[in-house]
Amino acid sequence: MARELSVSELEGFPSLDWSDVSSRLAPPLRASLEKVLAHLDGAALTLDESYALANCDGDDLLGLLVAANTLRAELAGNIVTYVVNRNMNFTNICFVGCKFCAFSRGPRESDSYFHSLDDMARKAVEAWELGATEVCIQGGLPRDLPKYYYRDILRAVKSAVPGMHIHAFSPMEIVYGVELTGMPLTDYLSMLRDNGLGTLPGTAAEILDDEVRHILSANKLSTAQWIEVIRTAHRCGIRTTSTLMYGHAETPAHWVRQMRLLREIQSKTRGFTEFVPLGFVHQNTLLFQQGLSRPGPTLAEHLKVHALGRVLLAGSINNIQVSWVKLNRRLSQLCLDAGANDYGGTLMEENISREAGATAGQYTSPEDFQALILEAGRIPAERNTTYSRIQIKLALDEFTAEQSLEAEFA
């Protein structure tokens, strides 16, 4: 059995090169990683090889982390991107009852809220004036929501700030909108797109396994529904993120199956912009309080999931994002060394992770992102939502062309 790595060994892995660790790996695992490094494509791995990587420990884990960072340099260069955005949760009232969520409230609770369309428009204007190019809009699912309310939010924001990109509505909200309106899914998504929806968050995925989903939330949309919304959005020209929540009731096998599913969808649609591992924040959740989960991810799990995402998704989804709101400063930087190349958004107003007990804060300024990225020895760049435009945030004489490399975005 492989030894368990110490915290200092895990925190020190960025100083290692492939040549430092490759000879210490189990031969089958080394062969798997070398195959991906040679082809820059995780499709080279079999299911059993992927399971072995997900369960690795000791020197093998160090090898996975170093290989992931090597792949990152090849596929995304030394640039670390971020988007200037504002998070706008229009309501925290929700009837779904997810056990991993500490954000939702009942309609009569003293701290429940429901922002008007005028509020949403005002918040978008404020964000635009502060330099945001994107608003991220999600909320709880309140009963008796006006049936075209999601469309009306889009109209309100676009009327106030025509140039703002709207990244909005999880697949769960899309399913609810379809139920409210009775429209076919394709028609509903097309209506939202035509009223200003730019991209869709690939949230509400958690773990795409119905047995685990039943533990997390008996009332949430099924795996099949999530896949249907995502594939249909992609067909409608609406790109999405992809996510995985780890550190609760799932196993490494679930990580592998989900990543391979995302690869399969991407091979058909090319609609995913990025993959976002989301560490479970346990402190204030029923899931943990009822003994249904472990107390969030370990340091090794945080690093392993980001590295595994880079390796398994290589050549398919080449942007791996760090969800900084769920991690502390040092851990978010370590995840950049474990294969990630994006810091996500500035957010300006983040509530969901904070309510669950995260302590990383509600806002990271562009200047803070730039400092974090520079500390990690990488090059900061502001991007738009779909990674089709980036602007390096350094004077050109501060780095060489070799340092930046040419980023290949998926």
Side-chain angles (χ1 to χ4, degrees), residues 13-73:
F13 86 86
S15 65
L16 301 173
D17 292 320
W18 181 245
S19 59
D20 297 322
V21 296
S22 58
S23 63
R24 292 150 47 187
L25 307 188
L29 193 131
R30 175 180 175 174
S32 297
L33 291 172
E34 287 181 337
K35 189 162 49 172
V36 180
L37 289 169
H39 297 282
L40 301 181
D41 196 339
L45 295 170
T46 66
L47 180 60
D48 285 343
E49 285 177 308
S50 302
Y51 284 151
L53 288 173
N55 285 288
C56 71
D57 208 342
D59 287 335
D60 289 343
L61 175 54
L62 291 178
L64 172 64
L65 301 179
V66 173
N69 201 33
T70 304
L71 276 171
R72 182 273 309 160

Side-chain angles (χ1 to χ4, degrees), residues 58 112 127 168 181 223 227 251 267 299 313 318 336 356 360 386 393:
S112 66
T181 61
T223 297
I227 294 169
T251 68
S267 70
L299 172 59
L313 297 173
N318 287 336
L336 290 180
T386 57
K393 292 296 182 178

Side-chain angles (χ1 to χ4, degrees), residues 170-225:
S170 74
M172 184 75 206
E173 289 169 288
I174 297 300
V175 167
Y176 188 39
V178 165
E179 290 174 359
L180 289 168
T181 61
M183 296 173 69
L185 176 60
T186 299
D187 293 350
Y188 185 74
L189 283 165
S190 297
M191 176 187 70
L192 296 184
R193 177 200 63 207
D194 294 344
N195 280 277
L197 179 66
T199 49
L200 197 78
T203 49
E206 285 83 57
I207 290 294
L208 294 171
D209 177 288
D210 285 333
E211 287 186 13
V212 177
R213 296 180 76 74
H214 189 77
I215 296 169
L216 301 179
S217 178
N219 298 321
K220 201 131 189 194
L221 80 172
S222 67
T223 297
Q225 286 176 303

Side-chain angles (χ1 to χ4, degrees), residues 123-125 127-128 132-135 157-158 161-166 196:
K123 285 172 175 282
V125 169
W128 184 260
T133 60
E134 170 195 300
V135 287
V157 170
K158 276 294 184 182
V161 195
M164 186 70 82
H165 181 99
I166 304 178

